[in-house]
Amino acid sequence: PPSTVGAPRTSVALRAGLEDMRYASWEWMANLGAPSALVGGAALASFFDLRADLEVDPKDRTWVALSKKAISVLLLTAFAMEITCVFVTTVTGTLLQGTTINGLALSSIDLMTRELEFEYLASRICFFQGLLNWLAGIALHQILPDSVLAGKSFADLTAEEKASRRLRVCNGA
């Protein structure tokens, strides 16, 4: 008679609708790592592009000085989180290409939540939080007053300067 090694597991899996989802999970990880690398690059480029604006001047108000420091922290942590996401997705994708993981599952998400829960959560959380940090840093930078207008109160500004400040606040929002 033909060999029946592995037949019961395969037949049970096929009856339950299970498929080998390792490749689909690898694709999911790769498709998260690619935009994460782009956001990480954008966060780092934003940090270096805004570096001159983020230097704290002794004449700055307290909230402006704290905002400048917060923007630097937000942009650098965004970069760190996105690079962490790229690393986690790459290593997890390599792990999924191996044969040590039971790939039978109903979906790729089902496989990752069952077998790779930490890696799945770490990649999603790092990507999303890094994206939020980058956007928050850029928005906060838009709210900062221009260096020319930094020492003036809103009431002392000309109509053009008031419009410029309102535009920056709207852009930041």
Side-chain angles (χ1 to χ4, degrees), residues 1-15:
S3 174
T4 57
V5 176
R9 180 176 173 177
T10 305
S11 62
V12 170
L14 291 175
R15 278 186 271 142

Side-chain angles (χ1 to χ4, degrees), residues 33-52:
S36 184
L38 294 173
V39 173
L44 191 61
S46 297
F47 174 76
F48 283 110
D49 188 41
L50 303 176
R51 193 171 37 172

